[in-house]
Amino acid sequence: MIVILKPEATEALITDIVSQIEALGLQAHLSRGQFRTVIGVVGEEVKVDPEHLKAITGVEQVLPIMKPYKLASREFHKEDTVIDIPCPTGGVVKIGGGHCMAIAGPCAAEDEAMVHQLAREVKHAGASVLRGGAYKPRTSPYSFQGHGEEALRWLREAGKANNMPVITEVMDTRHVAVIERYTDIFQIGARNMQNFNLLFEVGKTRKPVVLKRGMAASISEWLMSAEYVLSQGNRQVILCERGIKTFETALRYTLDVSSVPVVKQLSHLPVIVDPSHAAGDRQYVPALARAGIAAGADGIMVECHDCPSKAMCDGPQALLPDTFESLMKELNAIAKALGRGFTTAPQAA
Amino acid sequence: MIVILKPEATEALITDIVSQIEALGLQAHLSRGQFRTVIGVVGEEVKVDPEHLKAITGVEQVLPIMKPYKLASREFHKEDTVIDIPCPTGGVVKIGGGHCMAIAGPCAAEDEAMVHQLAREVKHAGASVLRGGAYKPRTSPYSFQGHGEEALRWLREAGKANNMPVITEVMDTRHVAVIERYTDIFQIGARNMQNFNLLFEVGKTRKPVVLKRGMAASISEWLMSAEYVLSQGNRQVILCERGIKTFETALRYTLDVSSVPVVKQLSHLPVIVDPSHAAGDRQYVPALARAGIAAGADGIMVECHDCPSKAMCDGPQALLPDTFESLMKELNAIAKALGRGFTTAPQAA
Amino acid sequence: MIVILKPEATEALITDIVSQIEALGLQAHLSRGQFRTVIGVVGEEVKVDPEHLKAITGVEQVLPIMKPYKLASREFHKEDTVIDIPCPTGGVVKIGGGHCMAIAGPCAAEDEAMVHQLAREVKHAGASVLRGGAYKPRTSPYSFQGHGEEALRWLREAGKANNMPVITEVMDTRHVAVIERYTDIFQIGARNMQNFNLLFEVGKTRKPVVLKRGMAASISEWLMSAEYVLSQGNRQVILCERGIKTFETALRYTLDVSSVPVVKQLSHLPVIVDPSHAAGDRQYVPALARAGIAAGADGIMVECHDCPSKAMCDGPQALLPDTFESLMKELNAIAKALGRGFTTAPQAA
Amino acid sequence: MIVILKPEATEALITDIVSQIEALGLQAHLSRGQFRTVIGVVGEEVKVDPEHLKAITGVEQVLPIMKPYKLASREFHKEDTVIDIPCPTGGVVKIGGGHCMAIAGPCAAEDEAMVHQLAREVKHAGASVLRGGAYKPRTSPYSFQGHGEEALRWLREAGKANNMPVITEVMDTRHVAVIERYTDIFQIGARNMQNFNLLFEVGKTRKPVVLKRGMAASISEWLMSAEYVLSQGNRQVILCERGIKTFETALRYTLDVSSVPVVKQLSHLPVIVDPSHAAGDRQYVPALARAGIAAGADGIMVECHDCPSKAMCDGPQALLPDTFESLMKELNAIAKALGRGFTTAPQAA
């Protein structure tokens, strides 16, 4: 850490600050410039909260040198993490290290028939994982909140029928156990990226976690949330960029496609993009999905529906299965041009 | 709702859209302009999700006329809501309708003695409610996470000793019951503003709820979260502006002081400001607190500490009790100039 | 336009508002809902400033139906605009309608030899237009401000030697004439996107204009700035997305790659991306360039330098010519996968 | 400056970096931590662009210790700058160091009579400086662009008749001379905050300059723009916060009231707020003006009109003179509570 003192810091104050730093078990190296004194702090940085130092009178700024996350960092784990997601009737879906994955399905699991129908369609088009909401985070308390455990059952069955692992969102610490019984991947939504108790709970399971970026979260805060999961022993975290809040209102959120190469540089974890929630409008979903893969993402998560105007939620952003199929062709071509590829598990016997 | 069609919408499509609108139990009034057809939709707007209409082919935009929240709206409840918070040993603290309230105390309840000491000091300086964290949301899994139920006990005792109602943050649906036993006001933090299940749970209690604005939440989304609590029958919601994420990094967040008069216009609920978390640096807390009260806020929530460099969290933003006392004098003068006032409950016997 | 009245608007007020609207030469269609009265305004919308209506007492909101720009809109000009940029010694570079273009060169034209050297290198790697700064907008008054007319001469000569059209930034209405003499394309920088007099001046010339998006400009404001140029009779505007200001500080700006398909939907004008200024760091430039082309952009503008640590400005973001060459191979593959292509003019004889 | 190397930097690379730093005339102090090497750079920091160092291979980050502005900094000039603005017929208006100032008048100078009428009214209500637009920056090329030199004449006459200095916006380097002839204060608008040539030109005059903050400008960039003016010898810069672009769309911009105390800490220059452009809606102007003064601003700039719905621009945000008068009473009370005060020049004889 680098501690920069205020220009008016007296000798007595400097001595006091140094002794406070040393009391924390750290070494302090003074460097007196023409205008300011700077203290280089050496020692086990992770053990000291920069805020302790920043709160000392006479300190102007504290600049950390080390990243605040450890297990999530590329320095801790140099190689790309590759996650093997077992398929219900055999085989695995791989993600990371050049393996791309498409997650697709309806926003909400609306009824048994539609879940099965869409599962077949998205698998045929090239998706390897089936998504579907059972517990839905809705802005309005008066909106449809999901079919709960029943929906989990539909997803489980449709996953088995098509040999697709299943992912669904968990919003409440009290639901972790039931969701774990039915699904293969936990999804933590953007609104819960800093629901720290929930992160601890999914961190205690041994199932992969797709962690969406909060709409106001910096990349560093996002990796800190991954660290919550990793710190509990669950090393299977997949990051998902889904758009951030900016002043631009043409689309619902601004997909921060730069976050893909930045995360790849800072971390070993796989990262995918969710163009559906970013755009909020199906006509822009293909362009954003292509941009994500071209930027280096390890996959996409998209919403599909056979009749978007009848969808119980987020109809405007749902792709028709046909469009999804064309999109998968484009994504395969882009991935191939960059030396990477999408795969699916074999169809169920 | 106003539905604007794409310029290329054919007659057949228009007829189809109208019938889809009517199938939802609404009336459709067509208006054909030179370039576009616009449909005015009349009926019980709250029952229809604008997304259903937006998902119809040929629809370009759907513009809601009504606000998406109801119980939180000024139209539903014309007068300012005034909330009476009972004090442990008699009397009430009022907030809303011209009554201002100062909430103060440590970021975290660190030990019994410090909680009592600070409670006395902030009460003396003019605070009427005691704050203190028992369960702390921390960006890092390796940081201090709060003393839990023990801290709740310290707060309860200190509240009684100084006749101050107590507020603490609730982060997990599983903690609502225990926190309800010890405290007088629930605080929902910015990171949980859209933790919808948590909002439902505190909505089922009958204790006031301070609902902080999420750092990426629009004012409309914030009021929708209030609606979650109100919809469960708990009408005692106090909104708290605590800064939003913007490109400006000089301070930790940008206090959106405009949200105060905007909320006052849209809603009847009291609104306070939290200058401590917005600034993240104690030297700027007084200016932001004054700005909030001058803009019309019904109170402030600030963090205080007797020795900020020893604080277990957020030391850099904690005011010394002396500074808090001077600040309260300025705030009283500003409130008075605007025809409003701060009050405290009588000291415990 | 749709005019929404406040709930408390009286009959007398409504009558008055209607007569004010009719006085502007427009028709007013009243629609009385349960809670609010809405007025549909029909007529030549572009002639009336929505602000006149919004300023009337009793009006809550004014919702325009028409876009505020006309010549820039896809409705005015259905086909993609294709711009032919003549090359100094024969042939044209095409942009728009499936034709992609790479603009490359140094941030600043530092001396004659380096301009010639880089021109050769970027041409060889696949660039068709040569960029270079002669008048530099610098955040600090103490930084290098460009070599002015001398630099224009170097660019002109290097352009001729390699048969590449030349682009340079214009920052001041007083420089339009001299820049017009030496270059083929005007560049309006992000900081001048709303320098309206400058837009008028380049609009009066007949040379293509690359109009960068302001870092706080909405897509709509950007198209309005294009309208300034178009309104003067210059129909050769190329839009350039170069990143917006958001809360994320990992990179210098956030490249809003969504703006590419949104602009394509709203407008017929070509749009390119500038990954260099968005990233501010060369290691992220290739990923952003690929994302832009995959999202549908008609080209890129990138900065190159043979020795970035000696560059007079923006060294950290300059690509080495070798890296640029590899990038062009990837971009060609992505463009081809999407049915599009980059071309260059033949080398000078 | 602190230079942080990448973890993989070899000894040879470190030696090379040190010699590059020394070649710039600086001293390099190496500090080897467990994971990274850090170089403290001592010397005349302002002479070296951090970008040169950042562009060196093996460098991860460069952290400047010194501020990038000098003349604008509180370190360079410890006392608050107080500016005396001479009034046309005697006396001065003071701003800074506890002296507050209200600037008021119409958005655009629409005709001679209205300018005189409003000047009288705002002077009566407590304004000391008269504002009015002659050259208007308009988002649309089809909107009213101002009455130019004629409007300057009206303002000059109305200023004389009421003994008020006059301020108007300059948008083009070619207009500096004519505006200098007629007015007492130059206004640089938000859209031109980084129109560097314009800053140089007003810097060469000796009239005060109100420099509005760009809607995407960080506080540091704003002070750098002030430095452009100061560097030319014009030391009379008044900063004006007028709202920034954020995701919140309830009002036109988000008034960043925190910028007031932050600027006061970093700089000696006076700072005022413009609540009219921030709000874009007159009902919110008083609350924002009060917040600005309570946060420590040295004044306000507001738009007034006798008949907002007939205003040629920005009608919705114009205060009626009566409301402005009530607002001035509140602002005087708040300023007084904080030991400060507004003054006006004596009425013209």
Side-chain angles (χ1 to χ4, degrees):
Chain A
M1 253 169 321
I2 309 280
V3 176
I4 300 171
L5 304 190
K6 293 190 175 165
E8 65 269 21
T10 60
E11 278 307 307
L13 192 56
I14 294 172
T15 308
D16 180 54
I17 294 171
V18 167
S19 64
Q20 290 198 49
I21 289 170
E22 292 173 350
L24 294 165
L26 301 165
Q27 290 171 278
H29 294 283
L30 239 71
S31 156
R32 292 164 195 275
Q34 197 181 344
F35 301 103
R36 270 155 215 267
T37 296
V38 171
I39 306 178
V41 176
V42 178
E44 285 201 67
E45 197 166 307
V46 285
K47 292 206 181 145
V48 181
D49 190 334
E51 291 192 341
H52 282 293
L53 301 179
K54 210 186 149 199
I56 298 175
T57 312
V59 169
E60 183 167 295
Q61 270 191 80
V62 177
L63 306 167
I65 305 292
M66 302 290 294
K67 302 284 184 295
Y69 39 86
K70 188 186 157 204
L71 305 176
S73 75
R74 180 70 80 176
E75 285 156 29
F76 172 77
H77 187 291
K78 297 230 178 308
E79 301 301 307
D80 283 357
T81 283
V82 179
I83 299 175
D84 283 357
I85 307 162
C87 298
T89 59
V92 296
V93 172
K94 276 181 186 298
I95 179 165
H99 302 278
C100 295
M101 167 179 85
I103 303 174
C107 179
E110 298 177 11
D111 62 54
E112 191 167 6
M114 79 85 82
V115 173
H116 278 267
Q117 167 81 7
L118 272 168
R120 265 194 308 276
E121 289 168 337
V122 300
K123 169 88 180 203
H124 171 77
S128 49
V129 175
L130 177 65
R131 63 150 289 148
Y135 302 91
K136 298 297 309 167
R138 304 306 302 277
T139 308
S140 165
Y142 310 123
S143 297
F144 168 64
Q145 310 267 329
H147 286 305
E149 191 167 352
E150 200 175 5
L152 294 175
R153 229 173 280 127
W154 303 332
L155 288 164
R156 176 77 296 164
E157 289 309 313
K160 272 188 198 154
N162 297 280
N163 199 24
M164 300 175 85
V166 161
I167 179 172
T168 202
E169 178 165 355
V170 56
M171 292 165 53
D172 190 323
T173 49
R174 298 172 303 184
H175 297 162
V176 172
V178 65
I179 290 176
E180 191 181 6
R181 274 206 300 285
Y182 290 101
T183 61
D184 305 292
I185 313 177
F186 286 103
Q187 177 184 320
I188 301 286
R191 288 166 183 78
N192 283 304
M193 191 203 84
Q194 292 192 316
N195 185 333
F196 300 116
N197 287 8
L198 184 60
L199 297 175
F200 272 143
E201 292 302 323
V202 298
K204 288 176 196 153
T205 74
R206 289 300 171 265
K207 293 205 163 167
V209 176
V210 166
L211 177 62
K212 288 200 175 181
R213 180 180 183 184
M215 46 274 248
S218 68
I219 291 172
S220 176
E221 290 166 330
W222 189 18
L223 290 172
M224 286 306 287
S225 285
E227 190 83 6
Y228 260 88
V229 179
L230 298 167
S231 73
Q232 301 306 300
N234 186 342
R235 300 299 166 91
Q236 304 186 79
V237 176
I238 299 162
L239 298 162
C240 179
E241 163 67 39
R242 47 78 75 204
I244 57 174
K245 279 266 189 110
T246 71
F247 65 81
E248 178 56 66
T249 57
L251 300 189
R252 204 155 50 169
Y253 297 97
T254 299
L255 187 77
D256 178 13
V257 82
S258 328
S259 74
V260 173
V262 172
V263 162
K264 289 277 172 199
Q265 165 74 7
L266 297 173
S267 179
H268 51 90
L269 297 170
V271 57
I272 63 176
V273 297
D274 171 351
S276 305
H277 284 88
D281 183 340
R282 84 183 69 100
Q283 75 179 306
Y284 300 114
V285 169
L288 298 188
R290 293 191 311 251
I293 296 301
D298 300 298
I300 57 162
M301 167 140 71
V302 295
E303 293 188 358
C304 295
H305 202 285
D306 286 303
C307 180
S309 69
K310 298 267 185 291
M312 297 181 84
C313 60
D314 280 345
Q317 76 198 37
L319 287 186
L320 289 164
D322 278 2
T323 319
F324 175 61
E325 194 172 348
S326 315
L327 171 60
M328 285 306 299
K329 291 201 177 80
E330 292 178 331
L331 298 184
N332 270 292
I334 293 172
K336 205 177 150 196
L338 302 174
R340 325 172 77 239
F342 283 83
T343 50
T344 58
Q347 188 58 297
Chain B
M1 253 168 322
I2 309 281
V3 176
I4 301 170
L5 304 191
K6 292 190 176 166
E8 65 269 22
T10 60
E11 277 309 305
L13 192 56
I14 294 172
T15 307
D16 179 55
I17 294 170
V18 167
S19 66
Q20 289 197 50
I21 290 169
E22 291 174 350
L24 294 164
L26 302 164
Q27 291 171 277
H29 294 282
L30 241 72
S31 158
R32 293 164 194 273
Q34 198 181 342
F35 301 103
R36 270 156 214 268
T37 297
V38 170
I39 306 177
V41 176
V42 178
E44 285 201 68
E45 196 166 307
V46 286
K47 293 206 180 145
V48 181
D49 190 334
E51 292 191 341
H52 282 293
L53 301 180
K54 209 185 149 201
I56 298 174
T57 312
V59 170
E60 182 166 295
Q61 269 191 79
V62 177
L63 305 166
I65 305 294
M66 300 291 294
K67 302 283 185 293
Y69 40 84
K70 188 185 158 203
L71 305 175
S73 76
R74 180 69 81 177
E75 285 156 29
F76 172 77
H77 188 289
K78 296 230 179 311
E79 300 302 307
D80 282 357
T81 282
V82 179
I83 298 174
D84 282 357
I85 306 161
C87 297
T89 60
V92 295
V93 172
K94 277 182 185 297
I95 178 164
H99 302 278
C100 295
M101 168 180 84
I103 304 174
C107 178
E110 298 176 11
D111 62 54
E112 189 166 8
M114 80 84 82
V115 173
H116 277 267
Q117 168 80 5
L118 272 168
R120 268 194 307 277
E121 290 169 337
V122 301
K123 170 86 181 204
H124 171 77
S128 48
V129 175
L130 177 65
R131 64 150 287 147
Y135 303 91
K136 298 297 308 168
R138 303 307 300 278
T139 307
S140 166
Y142 311 122
S143 297
F144 169 65
Q145 310 267 329
H147 285 305
E149 190 166 354
E150 200 174 7
L152 294 175
R153 229 174 279 128
W154 302 333
L155 287 164
R156 174 77 295 164
E157 289 310 312
K160 272 189 198 155
N162 297 280
N163 200 25
M164 299 175 86
V166 162
I167 179 172
T168 203
E169 179 165 355
V170 57
M171 292 164 54
D172 190 323
T173 49
R174 298 172 303 183
H175 297 163
V176 172
V178 65
I179 290 176
E180 190 180 8
R181 274 205 301 285
Y182 289 100
T183 61
D184 305 293
I185 312 177
F186 286 103
Q187 177 185 320
I188 301 286
R191 289 167 182 79
N192 284 303
M193 192 203 85
Q194 293 192 317
N195 184 333
F196 299 117
N197 287 8
L198 185 60
L199 298 175
F200 272 144
E201 291 303 322
V202 299
K204 287 176 196 154
T205 74
R206 289 299 172 264
K207 293 205 163 167
V209 176
V210 166
L211 177 62
K212 289 201 175 179
R213 180 181 183 184
M215 46 274 247
S218 69
I219 292 172
S220 176
E221 289 166 331
W222 190 18
L223 291 171
M224 286 306 287
S225 285
E227 190 83 6
Y228 260 87
V229 179
L230 298 167
S231 73
Q232 301 305 300
N234 186 344
R235 301 298 166 92
Q236 303 185 81
V237 175
I238 300 162
L239 299 162
C240 179
E241 163 68 38
R242 47 80 74 204
I244 57 175
K245 278 267 188 106
T246 71
F247 66 81
E248 177 56 66
T249 57
L251 301 188
R252 203 154 50 168
Y253 298 97
T254 299
L255 188 77
D256 178 13
V257 82
S258 328
S259 74
V260 173
V262 172
V263 162
K264 289 279 173 198
Q265 165 74 9
L266 297 174
S267 178
H268 51 91
L269 296 169
V271 57
I272 64 177
V273 297
D274 171 352
S276 305
H277 284 88
D281 182 339
R282 85 184 68 100
Q283 74 179 308
Y284 299 114
V285 169
L288 297 189
R290 293 191 311 253
I293 297 300
D298 300 298
I300 56 163
M301 167 140 71
V302 294
E303 293 188 357
C304 294
H305 203 285
D306 285 302
C307 180
S309 68
K310 300 267 186 291
M312 298 181 81
C313 60
D314 280 345
Q317 75 197 37
L319 287 186
L320 288 164
D322 279 3
T323 318
F324 176 59
E325 193 171 348
S326 315
L327 171 60
M328 284 306 298
K329 291 201 176 81
E330 291 179 333
L331 297 185
N332 270 291
I334 293 171
K336 205 178 150 194
L338 302 174
R340 327 173 74 240
F342 284 82
T343 52
T344 57
Q347 188 57 297
Chain C
M1 256 173 316
I2 309 281
V3 176
I4 300 171
L5 304 190
K6 293 190 175 164
E8 65 270 21
T10 60
E11 278 308 306
L13 192 55
I14 294 172
T15 308
D16 179 55
I17 294 170
V18 167
S19 64
Q20 290 198 47
I21 289 168
E22 291 174 350
L24 294 165
L26 303 164
Q27 290 171 277
H29 294 281
L30 240 71
S31 157
R32 293 163 194 275
Q34 198 180 342
F35 300 103
R36 271 158 214 265
T37 295
V38 170
I39 306 178
V41 176
V42 178
E44 285 199 69
E45 196 166 306
V46 285
K47 295 208 181 144
V48 181
D49 189 335
E51 292 191 340
H52 282 293
L53 301 180
K54 209 185 150 202
I56 299 174
T57 312
V59 169
E60 183 167 296
Q61 270 190 79
V62 177
L63 306 167
I65 305 293
M66 300 292 292
K67 303 284 185 293
Y69 39 85
K70 188 186 158 204
L71 306 175
S73 75
R74 180 69 81 176
E75 285 156 27
F76 172 76
H77 187 290
K78 295 228 179 312
E79 301 301 309
D80 283 357
T81 282
V82 179
I83 299 176
D84 282 356
I85 307 163
C87 298
T89 58
V92 295
V93 172
K94 277 181 185 297
I95 178 164
H99 302 278
C100 294
M101 167 178 84
I103 303 174
C107 179
E110 299 177 11
D111 63 53
E112 190 165 7
M114 80 85 81
V115 174
H116 278 267
Q117 166 81 3
L118 272 167
R120 268 193 306 276
E121 289 168 336
V122 300
K123 170 88 182 204
H124 171 77
S128 48
V129 175
L130 177 64
R131 63 149 288 147
Y135 302 90
K136 298 297 308 169
R138 304 307 301 277
T139 307
S140 165
Y142 310 124
S143 298
F144 168 64
Q145 311 266 331
H147 285 304
E149 192 167 352
E150 199 174 5
L152 294 176
R153 229 174 280 128
W154 301 333
L155 288 164
R156 175 78 294 164
E157 289 308 313
K160 272 188 198 154
N162 296 280
N163 199 23
M164 300 174 85
V166 161
I167 179 171
T168 203
E169 179 166 354
V170 56
M171 294 164 53
D172 190 324
T173 49
R174 298 173 303 184
H175 298 163
V176 172
V178 64
I179 290 177
E180 191 180 7
R181 273 206 301 284
Y182 289 100
T183 60
D184 304 293
I185 312 176
F186 286 103
Q187 176 184 322
I188 301 285
R191 289 166 183 80
N192 283 303
M193 192 203 84
Q194 292 192 318
N195 184 334
F196 299 117
N197 287 7
L198 185 60
L199 298 175
F200 272 143
E201 292 302 322
V202 298
K204 287 176 197 154
T205 74
R206 290 299 171 266
K207 294 205 164 170
V209 177
V210 166
L211 177 62
K212 288 200 174 181
R213 180 181 183 184
M215 45 274 248
S218 69
I219 292 172
S220 177
E221 290 165 331
W222 189 18
L223 291 171
M224 286 305 287
S225 286
E227 190 82 7
Y228 260 88
V229 179
L230 298 168
S231 73
Q232 301 306 301
N234 186 343
R235 300 300 166 88
Q236 303 186 80
V237 175
I238 299 162
L239 299 161
C240 178
E241 163 68 38
R242 48 79 73 206
I244 57 174
K245 278 267 189 108
T246 71
F247 66 82
E248 177 57 66
T249 57
L251 301 189
R252 203 155 50 169
Y253 298 96
T254 300
L255 187 77
D256 179 12
V257 81
S258 327
S259 74
V260 173
V262 172
V263 162
K264 290 276 172 201
Q265 165 74 10
L266 297 173
S267 179
H268 51 91
L269 296 170
V271 57
I272 64 176
V273 298
D274 171 351
S276 305
H277 284 88
D281 182 339
R282 84 183 70 100
Q283 75 180 305
Y284 300 114
V285 169
L288 298 188
R290 294 190 310 253
I293 296 300
D298 300 298
I300 56 163
M301 167 140 72
V302 294
E303 293 189 357
C304 295
H305 202 285
D306 284 302
C307 181
S309 70
K310 299 266 185 290
M312 298 182 84
C313 61
D314 280 345
Q317 76 198 35
L319 287 186
L320 288 164
D322 279 3
T323 319
F324 175 61
E325 192 171 349
S326 315
L327 172 60
M328 285 305 300
K329 291 202 176 81
E330 292 178 332
L331 298 185
N332 270 291
I334 293 171
K336 205 177 151 196
L338 302 173
R340 327 172 75 238
F342 283 82
T343 51
T344 57
Q347 188 59 299
Chain D
M1 253 170 321
I2 309 281
V3 176
I4 301 169
L5 304 190
K6 293 192 175 164
E8 65 270 22
T10 59
E11 279 308 307
L13 192 56
I14 294 173
T15 308
D16 179 54
I17 294 171
V18 167
S19 64
Q20 290 198 48
I21 290 170
E22 290 173 351
L24 294 164
L26 302 164
Q27 292 171 275
H29 294 281
L30 239 72
S31 157
R32 294 163 193 275
Q34 197 181 343
F35 300 105
R36 269 156 215 267
T37 296
V38 170
I39 307 178
V41 176
V42 177
E44 284 200 70
E45 194 166 309
V46 285
K47 293 208 180 143
V48 181
D49 190 334
E51 291 190 341
H52 282 292
L53 301 179
K54 211 186 148 200
I56 299 174
T57 312
V59 169
E60 182 167 296
Q61 270 190 79
V62 177
L63 305 167
I65 305 293
M66 300 291 293
K67 303 283 184 294
Y69 39 85
K70 188 185 158 204
L71 305 175
S73 76
R74 179 69 82 178
E75 286 156 28
F76 172 76
H77 187 291
K78 296 228 177 315
E79 301 301 308
D80 283 357
T81 283
V82 180
I83 298 175
D84 282 357
I85 306 161
C87 298
T89 59
V92 296
V93 172
K94 276 181 187 298
I95 178 164
H99 302 278
C100 295
M101 168 179 84
I103 303 174
C107 179
E110 298 176 11
D111 62 55
E112 190 166 7
M114 80 84 82
V115 174
H116 278 267
Q117 167 80 4
L118 272 168
R120 267 194 307 277
E121 289 169 337
V122 300
K123 169 87 181 203
H124 171 77
S128 49
V129 175
L130 177 64
R131 62 150 288 146
Y135 303 90
K136 298 297 307 168
R138 304 306 301 278
T139 308
S140 166
Y142 311 123
S143 297
F144 168 65
Q145 310 266 333
H147 285 303
E149 191 167 352
E150 199 174 7
L152 293 175
R153 229 174 279 128
W154 302 333
L155 288 164
R156 175 77 294 164
E157 289 310 312
K160 273 190 198 153
N162 296 281
N163 200 23
M164 301 175 85
V166 162
I167 180 173
T168 203
E169 179 165 355
V170 56
M171 293 163 54
D172 190 324
T173 48
R174 299 172 303 184
H175 297 163
V176 172
V178 64
I179 290 177
E180 192 180 6
R181 273 206 301 285
Y182 289 101
T183 62
D184 304 293
I185 312 176
F186 286 103
Q187 177 185 320
I188 301 286
R191 289 166 183 79
N192 284 302
M193 192 203 84
Q194 292 191 318
N195 184 333
F196 299 117
N197 286 7
L198 185 60
L199 298 175
F200 271 143
E201 292 301 324
V202 298
K204 288 176 197 155
T205 75
R206 290 300 172 265
K207 293 205 164 169
V209 176
V210 166
L211 177 63
K212 289 200 174 182
R213 180 182 183 184
M215 45 275 247
S218 69
I219 291 172
S220 176
E221 291 166 330
W222 189 17
L223 291 171
M224 285 306 288
S225 285
E227 190 83 6
Y228 260 88
V229 179
L230 298 167
S231 72
Q232 301 306 301
N234 186 343
R235 301 299 167 91
Q236 304 186 79
V237 175
I238 299 161
L239 299 162
C240 179
E241 162 68 38
R242 49 77 76 204
I244 57 175
K245 278 268 188 108
T246 71
F247 65 81
E248 177 57 65
T249 57
L251 301 188
R252 203 155 48 169
Y253 298 97
T254 299
L255 187 76
D256 178 13
V257 82
S258 328
S259 73
V260 173
V262 172
V263 162
K264 289 278 172 199
Q265 166 74 9
L266 297 174
S267 178
H268 51 91
L269 297 170
V271 57
I272 63 176
V273 297
D274 171 351
S276 305
H277 285 88
D281 182 340
R282 85 185 68 101
Q283 74 178 308
Y284 300 114
V285 169
L288 297 189
R290 293 191 311 252
I293 296 300
D298 300 298
I300 57 164
M301 167 140 72
V302 294
E303 293 188 358
C304 295
H305 203 285
D306 285 302
C307 181
S309 69
K310 299 266 185 292
M312 298 181 83
C313 60
D314 279 346
Q317 77 198 35
L319 287 186
L320 288 164
D322 278 3
T323 319
F324 175 60
E325 193 172 350
S326 315
L327 171 59
M328 285 306 298
K329 291 203 175 80
E330 292 178 331
L331 297 185
N332 270 291
I334 292 171
K336 205 176 151 197
L338 302 174
R340 325 172 78 240
F342 284 82
T343 51
T344 57
Q347 189 56 299

